[in-house]
Amino acid sequence: MSPIGRMPIPIPDGVEIALEGQHVRVIGPLGTLERDVHPEMTVVHEDGALRIERPSDAPRHRALHGLTRSLVANMVTGVTSGFTKVLEISGVGYRAQLQDDRLVLALGFSHPVEFKPPEGITFRVETPTRLAVSGPDRELVGQVAAAIRARRKPEPYKGKGIRYAGEQIRRKAGKAGKVGGAV
């Protein structure tokens, strides 16, 4: 069996699970998340934990087993503690600020770049060059953070742009120039 797929998902206090066929609804202090699991996987609620079961040992079912367990576990974690992605902005004049609930970025363009958060996502600007994207849905947090990063990806020569906290940017050497000079 899949080592990840066979692990039970503990349900913390204050979290409710509703199973309706292949539809899983998780309700917790940070909100409600819903997802349809793959039709071949079965979610079982027993002894204060969730278990994912698969029909056979076929490679496809083994892959779906671990995936389904991870997705449901992320839902439980999301409604209890949430997920956060931290982004860092580097470059002269590059900065972030909040206006109402919108994120406004100055990224060296002739205009400011604005992001309105989708439902369930919050932005927090820790410093003008560091911001956090938070929410209960791990997939949506990652997608919004990737969309913000895509506005100005880090470039390899000076490293200017938006990067994830802790991300290493491979730097390139600039132009070498002529060695000898004109004759």
Side-chain angles (χ1 to χ4, degrees):
M1 280 193 87
S2 161
I4 292 173
R6 71 173 168 227
M7 291 172 26
I9 303 166
I11 301 171
D13 293 336
V15 175
E16 288 181 40
I17 307 290
L19 300 173
E20 297 143 14
Q22 298 307 113
H23 190 76
V24 178
R25 178 182 295 124
V26 182
I27 303 164
L30 295 183
T32 302
L33 294 176
E34 300 183 38
R35 177 181 291 276
D36 288 326
V37 297
H38 195 276
E40 296 175 17
M41 296 294 119
T42 309
V43 182
V44 179
H45 184 6
E46 59 183 22
D47 301 331
L50 290 175
R51 248 185 32 257
I52 311 298
E53 295 177 348
R54 64 180 184 215
S56 75
D57 233 13
R60 178 182 156 165
H61 289 149
R62 289 199 318 259
L64 283 172
H65 192 209
L67 170 70
T68 305
R69 192 257 178 216
S70 293
L71 293 174
V72 175
N74 285 340
M75 290 169 65
V76 172
T77 304
V79 298
T80 53
S81 58
F83 293 99
T84 302
K85 279 268 194 196
V86 178
L87 298 167
E88 296 172 343
I89 303 170
S90 60
V92 177
Y94 290 13
R95 66 185 178 281
Q97 61 185 10
L98 281 177
Q99 290 180 355
D100 301 325
D101 65 336
R102 291 184 337 265
L103 178 68
V104 180
L105 301 169
L107 298 174
F109 297 122
S110 61
H111 57 282
V113 178
E114 291 188 6
F115 277 97
K116 184 155 176 51
E119 189 174 327
I121 297 294
T122 57
F123 295 131
R124 189 176 72 248
V125 177
E126 298 166 1
T127 67
T129 59
R130 191 174 172 90
L131 65 111
V133 180
S134 303
D137 188 350
R138 184 175 191 172
E139 198 173 330
L140 188 58
V141 167
Q143 197 167 358
V144 170
I148 292 171
R149 181 181 181 274
R151 290 303 183 155
R152 183 67 93 175
K153 287 184 181 175
E155 54 95 18
Y157 296 100
K158 293 184 179 177
K160 294 170 28 171
I162 303 173
R163 72 174 125 235
Y164 298 114
E167 179 183 8
Q168 295 292 319
I169 304 301
R170 295 195 71 189
R171 302 290 293 271
K172 293 182 178 179
K175 283 200 252 180
K178 282 191 172 179
V179 176
V183 178

